[in-house]
């Protein structure tokens, strides 16, 4: 059974399409990679699910179904509650994702208390447990700290703890390691994987790094220009991708034992091919 | 830097500022034309009378000598004697100070309430016509100075729809059982809400006139900071937790967006206090500002000096309070 199903989602900024008929599913306990270069629309998909699209973005068609509930058809208030209770975000930049004027503790417990109706005490106990799970020493002290007193790696651990706090069925991690030091990246990646496995949470993992995908994902979706080019199992993908762009992406990826190395460019000819494909799609759907 | 050192440093700066103000005022009001003595004497008074009065008020000495005498008096708590009323300056000034403090604080509170409400509403309805209307209203409020708002209010609430008192601080018919001149404050303490209502009715127009420009400034800056803050990642993250727009604006964004506005309010509040001089005159409100204008008209040098020093003291204290509040609210400064 799939926890999250996105069906034929199209979104525009003004007249310009930024998501083109996107479909993807995440099944129970699965880790799905969402891969594409910068600007491909990866974050927009996450935001569409979580209901945090910028005001300029208009969803034109499609459905987003989370555990049988059609999110786009719900009243905003109900939708927020469903998302708050069943889904969570691990954000990209831990330095900006914590409120600088609030202590860490309430930022972990507030969802439990305000949205899910836990008692303050229970939420506190839960937060301490979680901080322990994400290997933060002296959790009591950290709960009382302000974000600026902690390192980027610590803050990302806190955000991970916070994401898992309400035992969500789905977590969306939007390039959760790109803003971190290289040495910290590996630890955080390992931590997310460890937490995901322990809690059995479905994970939509946004990245531009195929090396990371090979390590933690079971399936992946390749995105370019807001259009899904390939949707496959990870094993099949690394055995031989079906789309020329994916093949070029894979060929351009250095050894995925070395996730620090950046992508070398995909050949022009392949890009031109993808662009032509997108133009054909737009013509067919009457977008300019 | 510790809090104590911070305060001590500020107190030192304050003392220097006040001394500078004293020097400038003292010399300027003695250099500009206009003779206080001549204005006191009946027409046809002789040279001798003038000389006698001059000596009485110490005006026969050189200006630096006068300054030294005045300053040593001030350091002993003696601000001299008002030439027109022949009463000690300190007593006169202190008797009027509460009226001005109450008016200014009332205006500040009104400005913060109106400005804050507009900023929050504008943020809540950003991108809609409501926000556009708020921007237009802000622009209008800012392009007209406080005393003109005073005239507009007199036309509206004094002439067209006369529901508020136009002039004075309190109706003369009322018996005031107060032991201080903080009437508004005391009327609440003594539960005399009849007097309180009369005071508020008198303060309504002058305080609103003073508040309108400041409210617009607060609305504009706070709305801008709020809108910028609303795009930050921690606000987005709070939305994904299930929080709605109102919570996100007031609990996540506001505490972070409010700091620049707070600093600005501090600076603008001193301008507002400066504005009381004309507004008090316009509404015949018996405060320090009204007294200041009389003092200038009568060339009452000791009284002018006393009032100016007091205003300068108020300004510097307001700035100090703003600074300390800012430090207390910003955890980065507090722990840094
Ligand atoms: N706030 C915004 N308003 C309008 N367009 C945006 C906004 N943010 C991003 N976009 C556009 O949406 C597209 C997809 O962006 P995004 O999903 O952030 O890409 P990425 O794959 O790097 O996460 C890009 O073309 C970008 O220019
Ligand atoms: Mg992105």
């Amino acid at each position: 059974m799939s926890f999250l199903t996105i069906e034929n989602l199209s979104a525009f900024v003004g007249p310009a399409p930024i998501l083109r008929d996107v479909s993807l599913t995440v099944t129970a306990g699965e880790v799905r990679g969402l891969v594409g270069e910068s600007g491909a629309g990866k974050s927009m998909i996450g935001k569409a699910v979580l209901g945090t699209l910028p005001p300029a973005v208009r969803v034109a068609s499609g459905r987003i179904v989370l555990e049988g509930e059609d999110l786009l058809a719900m009243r905003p208030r109900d939708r927020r509650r469903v998302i708050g209770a069943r889904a969570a975000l691990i954000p990209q930049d831990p330095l900006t994702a914590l409120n600088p004027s609030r202590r860490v503790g309430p930022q972990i417990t507030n969802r439990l208390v305000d949205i899910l109706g836990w008692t303050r005490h229970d939420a506190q106990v839960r937060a301490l447990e979680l901080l322990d799970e994400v290997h933060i020493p002296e959790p009591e002290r950290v709960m009382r700290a302000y974000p600026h007193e902690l390192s980027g790696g610590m803050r990302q651990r806190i955000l991970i703890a916070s994401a898992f706090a309400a035992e969500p069925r789905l977590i969306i991690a939007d390039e959760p390691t790109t803003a971190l030091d290289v040495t910290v990246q590996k630890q955080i990646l390992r931590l997310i994987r460890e937490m995901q496995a322990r809690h059995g949470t479905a994970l939509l993992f946004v990245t531009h790094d195929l090396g990371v995908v090979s390590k933690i994902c079971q399936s992946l979706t390749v995105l370019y220009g807001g259009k899904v080019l390939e949707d496959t199992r990870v094993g099949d993908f690394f055995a031989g991708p079906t789309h020329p762009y994916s093949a070029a992406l894979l060929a351009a990826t250095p050894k995925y034992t070395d996730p620090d190395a950046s992508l070398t460019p995909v050949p022009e000819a392949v890009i031109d091919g993808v662009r032509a494909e997108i133009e054909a799609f737009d013509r067919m759907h009457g977008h300019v | 830097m510790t809090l104590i050192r911070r305060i001590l440093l500020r107190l030192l700066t304050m003392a220097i500022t006040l001394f500078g103000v004293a020097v400038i005022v003292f010399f300027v009001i003695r250099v500009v034309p206009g003779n206080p003595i001549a204005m006191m004497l009946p027409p046809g008074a002789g040279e001798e009378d003038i000389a006698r009065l001059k000596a009485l008020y110490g005006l026969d000495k050189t200006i630096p000598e006068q300054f030294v005498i005045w300053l040593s008096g001030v350091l002993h708590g003696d601000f001299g004697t008002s030439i027109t009323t022949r009463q000690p300056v300190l007593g006169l000034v202190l008797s009027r100070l509460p009226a001005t403090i109450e008016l200014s604080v009332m205006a500040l509170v009104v400005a913060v309430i109106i400005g804050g409400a507009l900023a929050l509403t504008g943020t809540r309805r950003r991108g809609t016509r409501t926000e556009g209307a708020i921007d237009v209203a802000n622009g209008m409020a800012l392009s007209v100075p406080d005393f003109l708002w005073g005239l507009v209010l007199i036309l509206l609430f004094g002439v067209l729809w006369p529901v508020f008192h136009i002039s004075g601080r309190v109706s003369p018919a009322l018996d005031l059982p107060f032991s201080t001149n903080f009437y508004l404050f005391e009327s609440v303490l003594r539960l005399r809400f009849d007097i309180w209502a009369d005071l508020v009715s008198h303060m309504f127009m002058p305080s609103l006139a003073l508040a309108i420009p400041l409210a617009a400034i607060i609305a504009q800056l706070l709305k801008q900071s709020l809108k910028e803050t609303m795009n930050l990642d921690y606000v987005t993250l709070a939305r994904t937790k299930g929080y709605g727009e109102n919570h996100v604006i007031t609990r996540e964004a506001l505490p972070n967006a409010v700091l620049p506005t707070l600093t600005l309010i501090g600076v603008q509040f001193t301008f507002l206090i400066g504005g009381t001089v004309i507004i008090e005159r316009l509404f015949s409100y018996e405060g320090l500002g009204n007294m200041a204008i009389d003092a200038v008209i009568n060339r009452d040098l000791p009284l002018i000096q006393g009032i100016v020093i007091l205003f300068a003291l108020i300004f510097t204290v307001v700035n100090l309070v703003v600074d300390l509040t800012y430090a207390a609210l910003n955890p980065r400064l507090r722990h840094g």
Side-chain angles (χ1 to χ4, degrees):
Chain A
M1 174 205 163
S2 73
F3 273 138
L4 173 69
T5 308
I6 299 176
E7 286 172 7
N8 309 104
L9 185 68
S10 291
F12 294 78
V13 173
I18 58 165
L19 294 180
R20 296 172 158 93
D21 220 5
V22 169
S23 296
L24 68 79
T25 62
V26 185
T27 55
E30 176 192 42
V31 183
R32 173 174 288 271
L34 184 52
V35 184
E37 60 191 52
S38 181
K42 308 181 295 293
S43 296
M44 286 300 161
I45 293 178
K47 288 175 181 171
V49 174
L50 296 169
T52 56
L53 284 173
V57 177
R58 179 177 54 87
V59 172
S61 58
R63 295 200 325 147
I64 301 175
V65 183
L66 181 66
E67 287 191 291
E69 305 214 51
D70 185 350
L71 293 180
L72 297 182
M74 296 173 88
R75 289 199 318 231
R77 188 189 151 79
D78 299 336
R79 177 178 178 182
R80 280 200 305 270
R81 297 270 152 176
V82 167
I83 292 294
R86 302 189 199 170
L89 171 72
I90 301 176
Q92 180 161 6
D93 186 355
L95 298 189
T96 57
L98 287 166
N99 190 327
S101 66
R102 303 179 78 179
R103 291 175 199 274
V104 164
Q107 301 197 50
I108 303 176
T109 57
N110 63 355
R111 177 199 324 238
L112 302 178
V113 175
D114 298 339
I115 309 294
L116 301 173
W118 292 33
T119 65
R120 224 159 262 288
H121 176 260
D122 288 353
Q124 189 82 4
V125 171
R126 172 80 175 139
L128 288 171
E129 256 171 43
L130 281 158
L131 288 181
D132 200 46
E133 264 191 66
V134 297
H135 313 300
I136 284 185
E138 301 184 73
E140 285 93 353
R141 190 186 64 77
V142 170
M143 294 272 282
R144 285 191 303 272
Y146 283 96
H148 67 93
E149 299 170 87
L150 306 168
S151 70
M154 284 280 265
R155 291 192 224 182
Q156 193 59 300
R157 284 170 193 275
I158 288 162
L159 287 161
I160 292 168
S162 173
F164 281 92
E167 290 292 354
R169 314 298 182 79
L170 172 75
I171 286 183
I172 296 176
D174 190 348
E175 308 204 41
T177 62
T178 35
L180 299 170
D181 284 353
V182 176
T183 46
V184 184
Q185 284 186 359
K186 288 182 184 160
Q187 299 168 10
I188 293 297
L189 199 62
R190 204 178 312 127
L191 177 66
I192 291 176
R193 188 177 154 68
E194 179 189 318
M195 292 290 283
Q196 183 272 332
R198 181 180 312 141
H199 293 263
T201 320
L203 179 61
L204 183 62
F205 194 96
V206 173
T207 179
H208 53 249
D209 188 340
L210 283 174
V212 171
V213 171
S214 74
K215 283 202 187 107
I216 72 167
C217 300
Q218 285 102 50
S219 58
L220 87 161
T221 300
V222 179
L223 204 65
Y224 185 95
K227 190 170 183 307
V228 173
L229 299 184
E230 180 143 15
D231 178 345
T232 176
R233 308 291 305 165
V234 164
D236 298 342
F237 181 85
F238 285 93
T242 54
H243 196 280
Y245 176 81
S246 319
L249 206 59
L250 186 56
T253 304
K255 284 266 171 290
Y256 37 85
T257 47
D258 180 15
D260 312 340
S262 57
L263 290 177
T264 49
V266 171
E268 282 294 325
V270 177
I271 297 283
D272 289 345
V274 180
R275 294 233 170 92
E277 198 179 318
I278 287 175
E279 272 168 34
F281 173 90
D282 283 352
R283 262 196 309 281
M284 199 171 86
H285 290 78
H287 313 144
V288 205
Chain B
M1 194 159 47
T2 66
L3 194 64
I4 303 291
R5 275 193 57 192
R6 212 187 162 85
I7 295 175
L8 285 180
L9 200 69
R10 285 302 302 257
L11 290 177
L12 184 67
T13 333
M14 273 171 68
I16 296 171
T17 310
L18 290 178
F19 181 79
V21 169
V23 171
I24 293 170
V25 172
F26 200 91
F27 284 83
V28 166
I29 59 180
R30 277 166 176 75
V31 169
V32 295
N35 184 346
I37 303 300
M39 304 184 96
M40 291 174 62
L41 289 168
E47 287 290 321
E48 230 170 75
D49 298 325
I50 293 179
R52 194 171 43 78
L53 264 181
K54 270 196 168 176
L56 184 62
Y57 287 99
L59 297 173
D60 51 343
K61 304 204 169 57
T62 66
I63 298 181
E65 276 171 349
Q66 291 180 36
F67 183 73
V68 171
I69 293 169
W70 177 78
L71 188 66
S72 64
V74 167
L75 293 178
H76 293 96
D78 176 11
F79 282 74
T81 304
S82 156
I83 296 178
T84 31
T85 65
R86 295 169 204 202
Q87 288 173 22
V89 166
L90 190 62
L92 281 177
V93 164
L94 289 183
S95 73
R96 287 293 188 97
L97 180 62
T100 298
I101 291 182
E102 286 189 345
L103 180 63
S104 309
V105 171
M106 173 84 124
L108 178 67
V109 170
V110 170
V112 168
I113 291 173
I114 297 177
L118 288 177
L120 290 172
T121 311
T123 307
R124 183 75 177 79
R125 305 243 174 274
R126 59 194 176 284
T128 69
R129 273 191 214 149
T130 311
E131 192 196 1
I134 288 174
D135 288 340
V136 170
N138 280 343
M140 277 169 50
L142 282 175
S143 53
V144 176
D146 48 17
F147 59 90
L148 286 182
W149 282 119
L151 292 176
V152 170
L153 291 173
I154 288 177
L155 280 179
L156 281 180
F157 295 114
V159 179
L160 288 181
W161 189 44
V163 284
F164 298 102
H165 287 99
I166 291 190
S167 97
R169 186 181 181 199
V170 68
S171 298
L174 282 176
D175 237 359
L176 301 177
F178 299 149
S179 50
T180 71
N181 283 345
F182 286 98
Y183 294 168
L184 194 68
F185 185 65
E186 258 202 273
S187 68
V188 174
L189 284 190
R190 293 178 190 270
L191 307 178
R192 288 296 303 270
F193 295 110
D194 53 330
I195 302 179
W196 183 85
D198 184 74
L199 288 163
V200 169
S201 169
H202 280 89
M203 286 169 88
F204 177 81
M205 282 191 275
S207 61
L208 191 57
L210 288 166
I212 287 173
L214 180 55
I217 293 174
I218 292 174
Q220 212 168 41
L221 181 67
L222 184 59
K223 178 159 76 72
Q224 189 197 334
S225 317
L226 272 173
K227 282 171 68 180
E228 280 164 20
T229 312
M230 289 300 283
N231 293 326
L232 298 181
D233 290 349
Y234 58 82
V235 174
T236 307
L237 189 66
R239 289 183 199 283
T240 70
K241 291 178 177 176
Y243 289 109
E245 196 70 5
N246 290 341
H247 174 101
V248 159
I249 292 175
T250 54
R251 300 293 301 282
E252 299 286 338
L254 186 59
N256 294 296
V258 83
L259 287 180
T261 308
L262 194 71
T263 320
L264 185 88
I265 289 176
V267 177
Q268 293 292 328
F269 185 46
T270 56
F271 288 137
L272 185 151
I273 296 171
T276 60
V277 173
I278 293 187
I279 290 293
E280 285 182 3
R281 192 65 169 187
L282 193 59
F283 290 94
S284 309
Y285 184 89
E286 292 116 30
L288 209 50
N290 214 341
M291 181 185 258
I293 291 184
D294 285 333
V296 170
I297 291 174
N298 297 325
R299 299 290 189 278
D300 192 338
L301 303 184
L303 189 54
I304 298 176
Q305 281 149 217
I307 294 174
V308 170
I309 291 294
L310 190 63
F311 268 119
L313 183 67
I314 295 173
F315 288 6
T316 48
V317 167
V318 167
N319 282 332
L320 178 68
V321 170
V322 170
D323 246 34
L324 296 179
T325 318
Y326 190 86
L329 286 186
N330 189 343
R332 247 174 284 221
L333 284 180
R334 191 163 58 211
H335 298 270

